[in-house]
Structures are given as structure tokens and as C-alpha cells.
Amino acid sequence: MREAIRVDEQGFFVEDVVLQDNEPLPEDCIEIKVPDGLYRPKWNGTSWEEGLTLEEIDAIVNAPTEPTELEKLQQENEQLKASVIELTTYTAAQEERYNQAILELSQLIAGGNV
């Protein structure tokens, strides 16, 4: 068995193909492996080259990525921590107001001035 690469009419990579040893190489196949690092391999008749422009590659490399599940959970955790701090601060302020109201009420009941 041997491997080949099928290309389309413009020379762009289509798929890997497995051939029997005695099977002839189809006209749309090349037996030269595609080198690593090509975004869209293109056969130019003698060698493999990059089929994308620099602008197209930049668009791929610099494309915004969707946050991972872990990143989403970390962001949600930070939001929850901020909410807990906000609620804790609010609760402490409410407790202070409640204590002040109890003190004033106690003084009024005892006949004192507020």
C-alpha cells in the first residue's frame, strides 16, 4: 500500500488517498507529501505552496476565538465573587442602620432623647 494526495483542478489539496502497490496513480493525485505549516496546501506542478494570501492567513491567525468552557467558568466565578462582595457590603450597611434604629427606639421607649 502507498499514500497519495488528491488535488482539485486548481491544485488545492482535497484528501489523502491510499492506493494498492500495483494500482496506477490517478491523474488527480500526487505522491509527494504535503509539508507541515500550510493552511491551504496547493500543488503548483512541481512543489507544494501556500494557497492563501498573507491577508487570509492573518485573518485566520488573528480571528477572535470563542472562550473555552474553563474561561467561561472563570469569568462567571469572578462575577459571582463581585456579587458576594456587593451583597456583603450592602448587608453590613443594613445591619448598621438596623442597630441604629434599635438604639433610637430603645431610647424613646426609655423616655430619653434621641
Side-chain angles (χ1 to χ4, degrees):
M1 291 230 239
R2 64 185 210 255
E3 294 181 16
I5 291 102
R6 177 165 285 126
V7 296
D8 65 15
E9 298 80 30
Q10 290 94 30
F12 288 106
F13 171 89
V14 174
E15 64 182 347
D16 292 316
V17 178
V18 177
L19 303 170
Q20 297 299 321
D21 288 331
N22 60 351
E23 188 177 353
L25 184 67
E27 288 185 25
D28 62 348
C29 290
I30 287 107
E31 288 188 288
I32 299 172
K33 287 183 71 173
V34 177
D36 292 336
L38 298 178
Y39 288 92
R40 187 166 185 220
K42 182 177 182 182
W43 180 253
N44 66 14
T46 58
S47 64
W48 288 102
E49 63 185 19
E50 179 56 65
L52 295 179
T53 65
L54 288 177
E55 292 81 16
E56 291 170 320
I57 294 171
D58 283 342
I60 292 170
V61 171
N62 297 320
T65 57
E66 182 70 24
T68 65
E69 200 60 36
L70 177 60
E71 291 169 333
K72 289 177 187 177
L73 289 171
Q74 288 171 331
Q75 184 179 24
E76 183 180 344
N77 188 41
E78 290 303 316
Q79 291 170 344
L80 288 171
K81 284 197 258 183
S83 294
V84 167
I85 290 170
E86 183 180 332
L87 286 172
T88 301
T89 303
Y90 175 78
T91 302
Q94 288 295 92
E95 186 176 0
E96 181 62 34
R97 282 192 215 96
Y98 174 75
N99 288 338
Q100 184 64 36
I102 294 292
L103 178 63
E104 290 174 14
L105 186 57
S106 296
Q107 289 173 346
L108 284 174
I109 290 172
N113 292 329
V114 179

